[in-house]
Amino acid sequence: MGLIYLAFLVGASGCLLLLDWRFRLFFWRDPVAAAIVSAIGVAFFLAWDVAGISLGIFFRGEGAIASGVLLAPHLPLEEPVFLFFLVLCAMVLYTGSVKVLARRRTATRNTTRGRGDTR
């Protein structure tokens, strides 16, 4: 029962990676850049968490679905996995929306040009 949360995080990340693979949005578009962005994002949010923990703002709650493994005081094993999921989700949403907007812009230009050519 203690690894349910971790399993769901890994499963959700896997689903996002499948979506990424299908549309070539982030990792399958440029794996090196995606790995760098992911590492920087996770490191930033881990530093944020450590600062919050040291100031007494963040603390670990007890949960039956969590593993109970701590990487540091009040920093559970699931936290870096969640932070990776957060960064991955943000980047897939961002790159996907950029791709959709670019496609719409191109379609609008083509439609506008087609109307002007029919004189």
Side-chain angles (χ1 to χ4, degrees):
M1 182 83 170
L3 296 175
I4 291 176
Y5 180 51
L6 184 61
F8 274 105
L9 286 173
V10 170
S13 297
C15 289
L16 275 175
L17 288 170
L18 283 173
L19 186 66
D20 177 22
W21 171 76
R22 167 62 179 89
F23 295 104
R24 306 291 191 260
L25 298 171
F26 186 50
F27 270 100
W28 272 266
R29 183 170 176 230
D30 188 351
V32 174
I36 291 169
V37 167
S38 297
I40 290 171
V42 170
F44 172 78
F45 285 119
L46 275 176
W48 182 288
D49 281 354
V50 169
I53 290 167
S54 66
L55 293 171
I57 298 169
F58 301 153
F59 57 92
R60 181 178 77 97
E62 295 298 322
I65 62 171
S67 68
V69 176
L70 295 179
L71 302 175
H74 298 288
L75 186 66
L77 170 66
E78 292 86 1
E79 189 66 13
V81 179
F82 168 74
L83 295 175
F84 173 74
F85 170 75
L86 182 70
V87 169
L88 179 62
C89 187
M91 292 310 300
V92 166
L93 282 171
Y94 173 75
T95 54
S97 61
V98 166
K99 198 171 195 176
V100 167
L101 290 174
R103 192 173 288 166
R104 282 186 183 174
R105 214 171 310 143
T106 303
T108 303
R109 284 185 198 148
N110 290 342
T111 304
T112 306
R113 286 183 186 152
R115 289 181 189 163
D117 293 341
T118 58
R119 292 187 235 172

